[in-house]
Structure formats: C-alpha cells, structure tokens
Amino acid sequence: MLKEIIQPENLAYKKTELMTDTVLSYCPGCGHGTIHRLMMDVIEELDAWEDTIGVAPVGCSVLAYEFMNVDMQQAAHGRAPAVATGIKRCWPDKLVFTYQGDGDLAAIGTAETIHAINRGENIVIVFVNNGIYGMTGGQMAPTTLPNMKSSTSPYGRDVDMMGAPLKITELISQLPGAYYVTRQAVHTPAHVRKTKKAIKKAFQNQIDKKGGVSFVEVVSNCNSGWKMTPVQSNEWMVDNMFPFYPLGDIKVDGELVTK
Amino acid sequence: MGELKLMKGNEAVAEAAIRVGTDAYFGYPITPQSEIIEYLMAEKPHERTGMVVLQAESEVAAINMVYGAAGAGKKVMTSSSSPGISLKQEGISYMAGAELPCVLVNVVRGGPGLGTIQPSQADYFQSVKGGGHGDYKMIVLAPASVQEMYDFVETSYDLAFQYRTPVLILTDGVIGQMMEKVEVSEQKPRWTDEEIAKNTPWATFGKKKDRERNIITSLDLDSARMEQHNHHLMRKYEEIKEKEVRFEKINCEDADYLLVAYGSSARISQKAIDLCAEKGIKVGLLRPITLFPFPEKEINEMADKVKGILSVEMNAGQMVEDILLAVKGKVPVEHFGRMGGIIHSPQEVVEALEQKIIGG
Amino acid sequence: MAKIKGAIVVDVERCKGCEVCVGACPTNVIGMADNVNGKGYHFAYMADADACIGCTNCAIVCPDGVITVYKKKMTA
C-alpha cells in the first residue's frame, strides 16, 4: 500500500533543490531552516535563481550561504543592507536580499538598516526576530522582552536600565522608502503558508521595481537560548512574543495599514 | 600628448576614476578629501559612463557598499581621510579575507583622534602593517604629484584585480589639495556583463545553471582550512613583494648619504638634497612608490654605498622601522619629521641630516 | 468513493527530532521513534500510516526539510 503511494508521480512535497543538501547548522526546531526554505521556494517559483544574489549576516544564519543554493555574500555584522546596496546599485536588474537576525539588524546594524530603507533601495530584507543573540550563546538582544532572561540579563531585562525592546519594524515602517512591511511567523503550517505569501510578495515587489524596501519580519523561536524544547518554545513565543510583536501587515503598497 | 588639465589632487583621483571605467564610488565626506565625492557628484558620471556615485550614511556603510559591489564583480572605489579610514578597517579586513579587489584612497590628516585637518603621514603603520584585524596586507601606493594621483587609480585597479586584493592610494592633504598640471587619459568604457563574467568568474552576479554558486566570505569555521587560506594569502603577499616593488632613485649614484621619503615628504626632500649639493654634501633620495611592498632590497643595497640614512616622514617615525629592518644595522638610520599637520621645510631636513647623521 | 491516501518519507539521518511536525499533523500520523539516528536524535516516523492524507503540513513546518510527502487518490 505505502509502496503504491510513494511513487514519483504522487509527489506532493519535496524540499526545493535551491536548498543544498548540507545539514543545517541550526538547533532542532529552529525557525531559520523553515524561513530559508520558504525563500528558496519563492525564488524557484519566480524562476529567478539565475539572477538572485543574497547577503548573509553575522549571527546564527552567518552560514546561510551554505544552505541557499544561489550566489551569496557574507556581510560584516550589521552591514548587510549596505552590502546589498552596493550590489543592487551596480546590478539594478538582479534580485538582491538580505537575511538578518535581530542583533544584526536592530542593534549593530541599525544605521545601515534605517538608511538603506530610507534611500528606498529596491531590495528584500528578511528579518528574523527571536529576541536573543543565538550564535554567541543567548545574550540580550534589542528585541529581548521586558523581564525576559538571557545570559546578559540573568535576572530578566530591566527596562529602567536597558530601555524597552526595540520595535524596529514599526519604526522603519514610517519611512517613505519602506514599500511593504509585514510581520509573520513559521511555527504552524498556516503561518508558514502566510509567510511564504509575504516573501513572494516582497520579491515580486522587487521584480516590479515598486521603489522601496520590502521588509518581512519573521518572529521566531530560539529554544536553545530560551532554554526550552522546540515545541515549548513555539508555545512560549505565541504567549509572550506575539502580544508584543503582533503578526500581520504593517505597510502594504507604500500605505500604512490602519487597524 | 593627451589633454592637459589644471587640477587638485583630489579632483585628479575623481576624474581618473571616471575615465578608467569605475563602476561605482561610495563615500562619506571628510576633510581634506571631500572634493573627491563633490567632484564626482558635479560631473554626473552616471551620464558620462553609467558610473554609480552614492553618498553613504557613514564610512562604515561606504566600505560595505564597496564590499558588496566588489563581490559582485564591479570596479569600485572609496576614499576618506584618517579617522574615516579607521572606521573602514573592519570592512577592509573582510575584503582582504574574502579577496575582493577595490581601490581605496586615504588623504591623510594629523592624528591621533580627530587630530587636525592638516596634512600628515601618520597612517603609515595602519596602511602597510594591515590596519584591521587578522593577518593581511594590502598594496599601498604613495603618489608624490597630482599626475601620480591620477595615474595610480588605473594602476591600483590593475593590481587589485590581478591579485584580488584591496589597493590603497596613501596620500595626504598636501597632494590632495594642491593644483598641478595633469595629462588625462582617454575615456575607457566600463566592463560589459560579459567582461565581468570573464574577468571575475568568482563573483556573485547570479548563479548560472552551468556553474556552482559563488560565495563571497571571509569565514571558515574549520581551522585547518582557515590556516590554508592564511597560507594562500601569505603566498600572494610574497608574490606581490617579489614582483610589484616600485620606487624612484634621485642622485643616488655617488651619494654619501641617503634620504628615504615618500609622497609630499619626498618632494620636500628633493629640495633638501639640492640644498645639500650647494653645500657640497652628496645626498641621494630614494622615494618608495609602493610602501607595501616596501623597497627593502634596494634600501639594503644603498646601505652598502652610503654612510647613513635619514627617514623623512611627517610623523613620529614609522617608515624608519621598515628602513631599519631593511638596512640590518649596516649604517646608522635616523628619523626626522614634524607632526600635528606641520610640514617640515627643506632647511629643517638638511639640519636634521647634518645633526643626526653627518655629525652623529 | 475516492479517498485521498498519503505517505511521508523521513530523511532519518537529517531529522533532528524537534517534534514540530507531530503537532502539525491533523490526523496524528507522526510519532517519534524509540531508536535514535546517527546524531542521537529520536527521529519522526509514520506511527499511524493509514491515517495520512498527504496534506504536507508536516513537511512545510519541518525546519530541516527532511520530510517528503506523497499523495494518491485511491479508487478502491
């Protein structure tokens, strides 16, 4: 019976070949792998893989170029939007994206993020927000929630000392150069499908030269940094991250979404 | 003879950038080199050649735009002055590690810190010893005239792409700001997409179906492979040391004493050796044109012929250390130089030679 | 009546045992093996093969892309 079903003509889903066969360096259950695959799915569906150049950040996804089977550059910490600017200005007809975490994009790279968006660079920025520095061992990020514990806020983030978590996505949505700004997640099949649509819209905007950055935030888990099982971390994310970082479109076609 | 123009050194760099077919310039204003980006913006190179000129939000962003464009196979450059070059060091280290070609210009001002906007040669160490983190070098060219400011742009691109390395034009506020006659070259077209594919097959401009993806990175978490990469870089620098040393010798044939100086300091030293000749002292000048690779062999050979060597630099004594290494103790080597943006006079150089070398 | 039957193939050696697929399955097909793979992870497998409808939910939430899904319309 199973043999009858498992036949090439019955194939319903298989990982895209734009993901390499290299084993992902991410922890079990980490959303990075899902987001990588969605991006490569989209590039494949848009038949754009010969014209795509990606920029990997510093952080857990520093090795994104090992997994995404397109031309890739690895940028210095926080500088991916500047690197992408350099590529896109010289190759305006190519598809250029950055893939960045919250430490990279919202702390050390805040200036590059804001100015690339303010210039309206016609690029896609995928921003993975898990509220922590994963790669370096779970330190506090600009997006770490109030009272949330990390290795550099072992008693919880004290907002009197460290300030409130930075809602960089809402912040950049105010800039005229931001054309499409959305916040998504990938912890359930329904959310995965919505995120894929968002990523596809972002790349389609770039192809159509809509004039501005398409910015997709994905709120994700960090079970190692949060010290939970993968499934627990997804539940914790729903209960704690989503109230502070609500999902949904923030700006569509250059217009802020009013709720 | 080509067309002659009267230009500032900074303008010559900018005009050369356009005429040699630069694809992009990314910069950030800082005295005394802002004329480079100002000239480029005014010239509308986008209309002349299709060249991109962009004012970045910082030196840090500018060098990373250079990284991106260079990694995508383009001829790209940036310029700054000392504090701004310090900010760019991270990006330069990444480019050296990822083996990306680019042209950098440092119009040096006095330091440390914010220092002064007046000329200096105090960035010698930073330029020739690496500058940023990790084991690397870059080729450093030191122009001594506005014509060389112009000519060295193309030379730098040639070297940058031949060796896949950043190349630095190390100059200062004197050369950057002074006006001289320049013979400019004919406009060269920028590389076509086909030429880019041929000249930079390693670059990221889209993975065609017939090749593996290209990756621009300086990272390798495997220490054994990383050491191999370091060895590869060291072999490249050895080849550069073997093949690319450039220098100029003036009145060295029967000299009793030798001045070693580069850039604007070499111009002053040239006047100083004339003053010495009037006094009956036979002094030669060796002007390194490449500071890395350093003309160590030639200086070592000169040490067999002269009684002493004076390193003349607008700093506290930096190149003198490389001269000492080259001379290997054969003859006395001393340093003379002013700092803080003060330019020494030829008479001061002669006095220093008399006191530190001839009388010493 | 035609019935959709599905099946999944797990790349056992690449599975990291995160269990995200387990909760994503609407028909409770997936379980975690008692055995471990070469990396020491309890890997996902079809514990209730008959229940699979080939919806692909497990495959699209799998962070490591280790699940391939097949689907066939059964006429019997």
Side-chain angles (χ1 to χ4, degrees), chain A residues 57 61-62 67 69 76 116 123 135 156 179 192 218 223 243:
Chain A
S61 46
V62 64
F67 315 124
N69 194 10
I123 59 174
M135 175 68 123
Y179 184 77
V192 168
V218 183
N223 50 75

Side-chain angles (χ1 to χ4, degrees), chain B residues 217-266:
Chain B
T217 185
S218 56
L219 173 75
D220 200 326
L221 295 172
D222 182 306
S223 294
R225 279 203 310 262
M226 195 66 220
E227 189 184 39
Q228 284 307 308
H229 181 59
N230 271 277
H231 281 308
H232 163 71
L233 293 178
M234 292 308 124
R235 282 194 296 274
K236 176 162 81 176
Y237 302 142
E238 285 306 314
E239 186 185 349
I240 289 169
K241 281 165 80 168
E242 213 170 280
K243 294 180 180 167
E244 303 301 342
V245 174
R246 286 150 212 233
F247 59 90
E248 183 186 15
K249 275 174 160 175
I250 298 166
N251 295 354
C252 284
E253 293 74 28
D254 58 349
D256 290 324
Y257 301 97
L258 182 70
L259 301 183
V260 181
Y262 70 90
S264 50
S265 219

Side-chain angles (χ1 to χ4, degrees), chain A residues 10 12-13 21 24 26 37, chain C residues 14 16 60 62 69 71:
Chain A
N10 298 333
Y13 184 91
D21 287 329
L24 296 171
Y26 306 114
R37 201 173 70 250
Chain C
R14 295 163 61 94
K16 293 176 183 164
I60 67 170
C62 173
V69 183
K71 187 159 78 168

Side-chain angles (χ1 to χ4, degrees), chain A residues 76-208:
Chain A
H77 199 18
R79 317 301 173 213
V83 171
T85 298
I87 302 168
K88 186 69 183 183
R89 292 280 175 143
C90 286
W91 290 101
D93 294 329
K94 305 280 179 186
L95 284 186
V96 179
F97 70 83
T98 73
Y99 186 97
Q100 302 176 257
D102 40 278
D104 192 86
L105 180 140
I108 192 168
T110 311
E112 283 77 11
T113 302
I114 288 180
H115 284 279
I117 295 170
N118 196 50
R119 285 190 302 267
E121 300 293 343
N122 186 26
I123 59 174
V124 169
I125 295 178
V126 175
F127 166 44
V128 181
N129 175 11
N130 56 15
I132 207 156
Y133 284 81
M135 175 68 123
T136 42
Q139 292 83 9
M140 184 178 64
T143 48
T144 298
L145 296 175
N147 303 317
M148 182 174 163
K149 287 182 181 171
S150 73
S151 66
T152 52
S153 59
Y155 309 108
R157 181 189 186 123
D158 178 352
V159 293
D160 289 337
M161 181 171 80
M162 289 311 304
L166 182 59
K167 291 192 178 185
I168 187 99
T169 306
E170 278 81 354
L171 198 148
I172 61 96
S173 70
Q174 303 300 315
L175 302 172
Y179 184 77
Y180 173 51
V181 182
T182 188
R183 181 184 284 127
Q184 302 292 339
V186 292
H187 60 305
T188 72
H191 286 91
V192 168
R193 291 189 174 96
K194 280 177 90 169
T195 300
K196 185 174 169 185
K197 269 189 195 153
I199 291 171
K200 193 161 190 176
K201 185 177 176 68
F203 278 102
Q204 192 63 52
N205 285 341
Q206 187 176 164
I207 290 168
D208 297 342

Side-chain angles (χ1 to χ4, degrees), chain B residues 277-303:
Chain B
E278 286 170 17
K279 291 186 169 199
I281 314 168
K282 289 191 276 185
V283 183
L285 169 65
L286 191 145
R287 174 172 80 94
I289 293 172
T290 51
L291 299 176
F292 180 85
F294 192 66
E296 51 193 83
K297 184 166 142 272
E298 292 68 24
I299 290 174
N300 183 279
E301 285 166 7
M302 283 302 298

Side-chain angles (χ1 to χ4, degrees), chain B residues 15 22 47 59-60 69 82 116 118 147 164 186 197 222 265 269 294 312 322 326 336 353:
Chain B
E15 181 62 30
T22 299
E47 289 176 11
E59 286 93 347
V60 176
S82 310
T116 169
Q118 303 301 330
Q147 183 69 54
R164 284 189 61 182
E186 293 294 311
D222 182 306
S265 219
S269 298
F294 192 66
V312 184
D322 284 337
F336 171 71
L353 182 71

Side-chain angles (χ1 to χ4, degrees), chain A residues 49-50 53 65-66 68-74 76 79 82-83 86-87 89-91 94 111-112 115 119, chain B residues 52 57 60 64-65 67-69 71-72 74 94 204-209 211 213-217 219:
Chain A
W49 60 293
E50 287 199 329
I53 304 152
Y65 57 77
E66 293 285 352
M68 299 182 180
N69 194 10
V70 294
D71 272 3
M72 294 282 290
Q73 295 195 20
Q74 194 282 312
R79 317 301 173 213
V83 171
I87 302 168
R89 292 280 175 143
C90 286
W91 290 101
K94 305 280 179 186
E112 283 77 11
H115 284 279
R119 285 190 302 267
Chain B
V52 171
E57 63 270 30
V60 176
N64 283 285
M65 291 172 185
Y67 179 102
K74 295 288 183 169
Y94 272 65
T204 58
F205 40 80
K207 170 193 165 356
K208 296 296 167 247
K209 289 199 169 80
R211 70 156 165 89
R213 71 192 187 287
N214 283 332
I215 297 167
I216 302 297
T217 185
L219 173 75

